[in-house]
Amino acid sequence: MDMTTDTKLEVTDGFHLVIDALKLNGIDMIFSLPGIPITDLTRMAQAAGMRVICFRHEQNAGNAAAIAGFLTQKPGICLTVSAPGFLNGLTALANATTNCFPMILISGSSEREIVDLQQGDYEEMDQLAIAKPLCKAAFRVLHAEDIGVGIARAIRAAVSGRPGGVYLDLPAKLFAQTLDADTGKNSLIKVVDPAPRQIPAPEAVQRAVDLLKSAKRPLIVLGKGAAYAQADSDIRSLIERSGIPYLPMSMAKGLLPDTHEQSAAAARSYVLPEADVVVLIGARLNWLLSHGKGKTWGGKESKAWGGQKFIQIDISPQEPDSNVRIDAPLIGDIGSCVSALLAAVNTNWPKPPSEWLSAIAERKNKNIGKMGETLAKNPTPMNFHSALNVVRDIIKTNPDAILVNEGANALDFTRSIVDMYKPRKRLDVGTWGIMGIGMGYCVAAALVTGEQVIAVEGDSAFGFSGMEVETICRYDLPVCIVIFNNNGVYKGTDANPTGKSDPAPTAFIKGARYDKLIEAFGGVGVHAATPAELRNAMEEAIRSRKPTLINAVIDESAGTESGRITSLNPSAKKK
Ligand code: FYN
Ligand code: ADP
């Protein structure tokens, strides 16, 4: 038989149909960890020109897929083996769904007949049933001719409306099923308009405009939905033309430069209770916004309404009223909603009262001044502030770099100290405050943007995905990991009260040299005990674009339990 490459294949199979369906829909990257039954799928995908990025643990591959989805508005694909591999990926899928990131977890699964009769197969598990409650949609394909439909449905479910995670179950037997090549080709679907614009109703726009016009102390809150929407210039115009102060949620930092005159980030605890009308753009009133009520919002008691009226721009019609009354829901995609508002906010738009703006400016300048004083100190050993002062400068001179950030104190201090200058440059623990996103996010961010990635990691947070430094070295990615090493979870000073030899629950090995870890894989490891050493190492990492891990030694007594959210930790509250 003639097997030259230009010989037309007369039959195709499940493997090729999965690959062809993904490619047909513009998906050219898969985050995976090969094994039974998807090893050949990873090989064939690579042979077909896709980038197949393989990790050391599926959760990290899943997190990579999720953040690729956030950055590109295309579903990130995570491909795993069955049962345990699937379960490892599922954590990332659930997290993606919680964060409204589009992602598809594709897992191979064991033989249906045996699984359904519970006869004890290799990696036996009813994966579809387990995935269903944890994601936006879940599908299984049993016949090769349905692969096209399965992938099309998965793509639509992931990116349309409120984005989220989708599970696609592909039983092992499916891959080897053959089909006439033409029939196979015709069964594939190129999804047309997978995330259709959703235009807000004119009366909803008018209602929002009327409410906003009545405001004496208006505030705009930008959430990561606003970052996802890629409506950057309209959002900026809305804010600048209206003159309304804005507060960026963590991953919305940089949508406008954090140094923007109208940013109220440094006056958060002043603007939330004082505002009378709040426009939420792609931000939910969940725990991160104290559910829109209570003391944070000027309410008299913990669950009391503060009196604010809300305009909520969101693509999900079910989001409004989930915590407090929303007077003007504006349902649609953020691009369409913001441009509709922008049409009303023309040159005659009344600027917010100057008393409001000057009161904010006063608080803000005071906080920024205080921060400046703290950052100017140079204690020995380094603390979070003196180390972050360096990171702050590095991001300022490299505004295109992507900052990945996880931890407790390492997260909270970085969020308020390191200014971001461009949209979608700050990737962090998100809605759940989850640890373990670090290295997966780094890998995907470097690959899909081509930019330098800088990760600021708590020493505890890093541990969840640390083995992926091998992946970072293997793909030779421009990732500079800075570990804030204070010898433990929160800090390193806890001791075992019994006097026995077991270390305290929150304590790690003192003086650990994380920098040695990356050297095992050919990366650059640096031990930095001073801000100057940290600065040199970061500058060199950026110059060389080499995989780099900097062990930044932080005072082990620096840091508070649970960072800024100590109040959520019952035992810590008692202390
Ligand atoms: C902010 N601030 C600043 C600046 N930016 N001061 C000076 N300069 C600048 N640039 C001030 C801001 O006004 C606040 O002061 C304070 O810094 C903290 O700001 P932040 O972080 O925005 O506010 P806060 O109250 O911490 O926000 C609540 C939160 C946040 C829930 C949104 O804590 C958060 O995102 N947490 C995620 C935590 C998490 O997931 N952790 C992982 C799990 S750890 P005041 O106005 O004076 O208050 C497990 O243990
Ligand atoms: P943050 O944590 O930054 O406050 P959230 O994750 O709570 O942000 O909120 C994001 C919101 O944005 C979700 O309610 C989601 O439905 C919404 N959203 C996501 N993408 C879009 C879009 N393109 N158009 C409108 N709303 C969107």
Side-chain angles (χ1 to χ4, degrees):
M1 197 166 58
D2 184 358
M3 289 295 283
T4 54
T5 46
D6 53 4
T7 302
K8 194 167 173 290
L9 268 182
E10 291 185 351
V11 289
T12 185
D13 58 19
F15 288 114
H16 289 95
L17 287 168
V18 171
I19 294 161
D20 292 347
L22 291 172
K23 285 178 68 178
L24 183 66
N25 284 288
I27 294 170
D28 51 13
M29 200 179 289
I30 293 178
F31 302 97
S32 186
L33 198 167
I36 298 172
I38 51 103
T39 314
D40 263 357
L41 185 58
T42 57
R43 290 195 183 105
M44 292 176 190
Q46 186 172 58
M50 295 183 85
R51 292 203 74 180
V52 182
I53 309 302
C54 292
F55 287 73
R56 307 300 293 262
H57 189 290
E58 293 87 351
Q59 192 178 115
N60 306 319
N63 285 324
I67 211 67
F70 170 76
L71 289 167
T72 63
Q73 298 182 323
K74 284 198 287 190
I77 307 292
C78 174
L79 176 65
T80 79
V81 303
S82 33
F86 154 78
L87 287 174
N88 288 343
L90 193 57
T91 304
L93 189 72
N95 187 52
T97 308
T98 301
N99 281 280
C100 316
F101 298 160
M103 161 182 177
I104 304 172
L105 173 67
I106 303 179
S107 296
S109 59
S110 298
E111 214 169 309
R112 285 256 47 86
E113 291 85 341
I114 302 181
V115 173
D116 288 347
L117 276 171
Q118 296 171 36
Q119 295 176 302
D121 204 358
Y122 165 76
E123 296 194 350
E124 176 184 291
M125 179 172 278
D126 187 359
Q127 298 170 190
L128 185 72
I130 291 167
K132 237 175 214 168
L134 295 172
C135 58
K136 198 178 159 192
F139 307 101
R140 174 184 289 137
V141 182
L142 291 176
H143 301 291
E145 59 265 39
D146 293 330
I147 286 172
V149 170
I151 298 230
R153 300 211 69 189
I155 291 171
R156 279 199 188 278
V159 297
S160 63
R162 171 181 278 176
V166 176
Y167 176 59
L168 189 62
D169 194 80
L170 302 184
K173 272 190 175 171
L174 178 78
F175 297 115
Q177 285 177 25
T178 53
L179 211 62
D180 164 73
D182 279 340
T183 312
K185 194 168 177 220
N186 290 333
S187 72
L188 301 183
I189 296 174
K190 184 171 167 46
V191 178
V192 176
D193 198 12
R197 288 173 64 201
Q198 298 190 17
I199 317 288
E203 58 275 21
V205 175
Q206 194 55 51
R207 196 186 294 123
V209 169
D210 291 345
L211 180 52
L212 194 55
K213 258 197 185 143
S214 74
K216 298 274 176 303
R217 295 179 306 281
L219 175 70
I220 293 174
V221 175
L222 298 175
K224 59 176 149 355
Y228 175 79
Q230 300 194 14
D232 309 334
S233 75
D234 273 2
I235 289 173
R236 185 168 183 154
S237 300
L238 177 69
I239 287 171
E240 291 183 339
R241 262 200 244 162
S242 69
I244 299 174
Y246 73 96
L247 187 66
M249 299 299 288
S250 193
M251 281 178 61
K253 277 166 70 77
L255 215 42
L256 286 80
D258 279 337
T259 46
H260 197 283
E261 197 194 353
Q262 286 170 257
S263 169
R268 189 181 199 268
S269 62
Y270 175 72
V271 290
L272 291 182
E274 293 298 323
D276 63 350
V277 175
V278 179
V279 189
L280 300 163
I281 307 184
R284 288 168 285 186
L285 285 176
N286 56 18
W287 72 281
L288 292 156
L289 282 167
S290 307
H291 306 282
K293 56 195 169 191
K295 301 225 162 97
T296 306
W297 292 87
K300 293 214 165 56
E301 303 135 32
S302 71
K303 293 202 168 170
W305 177 48
Q308 288 80 7
K309 302 219 163 185
F310 289 99
I311 296 166
Q312 182 159 31
I313 300 183
D314 206 289
I315 202 153
S316 165
Q318 295 182 43
E319 185 54 36
D321 304 329
S322 45
N323 284 280
V324 292
R325 179 174 60 233
I326 302 297
D327 286 281
L330 192 51
I331 303 306
D333 69 277
I334 285 169
S336 302
C337 292
V338 168
S339 80
L341 284 185
L342 204 49
V345 179
N346 45 34
T347 40
N348 312 325
W349 186 265
K351 286 275 167 316
S354 59
E355 305 85 76
W356 175 231
L357 302 181
S358 56
I360 296 172
E362 191 190 321
R363 265 75 178 187
K364 176 176 155 176
N365 293 337
K366 205 163 120 200
N367 261 350
I368 291 178
K370 259 199 285 177
M371 174 80 82
E373 283 169 28
T374 318
L375 292 178
K377 292 181 187 147
N378 194 359
T380 313
M382 272 196 293
N383 62 9
F384 288 100
H385 289 89
S386 58
L388 282 167
N389 192 34
V390 173
V391 179
R392 178 182 157 102
D393 290 347
I394 297 275
I395 294 287
K396 190 173 180 183
T397 43
N398 300 278
D400 286 311
I402 294 189
L403 180 67
V404 172
N405 187 204
E406 63 177 334
N409 294 286
L411 174 86
D412 290 330
F413 285 121
T414 307
R415 184 178 61 247
S416 53
I417 293 171
V418 178
D419 290 328
M420 305 307 297
Y421 298 87
K422 293 192 175 184
R424 294 171 294 285
K425 296 296 186 186
R426 185 184 154 85
L427 310 175
D428 70 21
V429 303
T431 305
W432 264 347
I434 200 174
M435 296 298 112
I437 48 90
M439 298 305 106
Y441 280 14
C442 285
V443 170
L447 284 164
V448 303
T449 70
E451 300 290 352
Q452 173 72 42
V453 177
I454 295 168
V456 174
E457 299 272 314
D459 49 347
S460 164
F462 173 73
F464 291 73
S465 64
M467 190 62 204
E468 303 300 344
V469 294
E470 190 273 334
T471 309
I472 289 167
C473 292
R474 186 163 20 106
Y475 292 95
D476 194 21
L477 299 175
V479 175
C480 171
I481 305 153
V482 182
I483 297 183
F484 281 3
N485 185 359
N486 63 353
N487 298 341
V489 181
Y490 309 127
K491 49 176 149 180
T493 47
D494 273 13
N496 182 339
T498 67
K500 292 193 179 151
S501 61
D502 277 354
T506 58
F508 291 151
I509 287 178
K510 289 195 190 295
R513 293 288 302 269
Y514 291 97
D515 48 311
K516 301 276 182 201
L517 213 64
I518 200 166
E519 290 175 356
F521 308 110
V524 178
V526 183
H527 181 70
T530 64
E533 286 168 4
L534 177 59
R535 190 181 300 270
N536 285 341
M538 290 187 80
E539 284 173 350
E540 179 54 24
I542 289 168
R543 198 199 54 71
S544 72
R545 286 176 67 88
K546 282 194 189 139
T548 301
L549 192 159
I550 305 168
N551 181 52
V553 182
I554 303 290
D555 182 354
E556 69 169 0
S557 66
T560 50
E561 184 137 336
S562 310
R564 294 268 300 170
I565 53 175
T566 308
S567 61
L568 299 181
N569 190 344
S571 57
K573 217 171 10 182
K574 262 186 251 146
K575 265 190 189 169

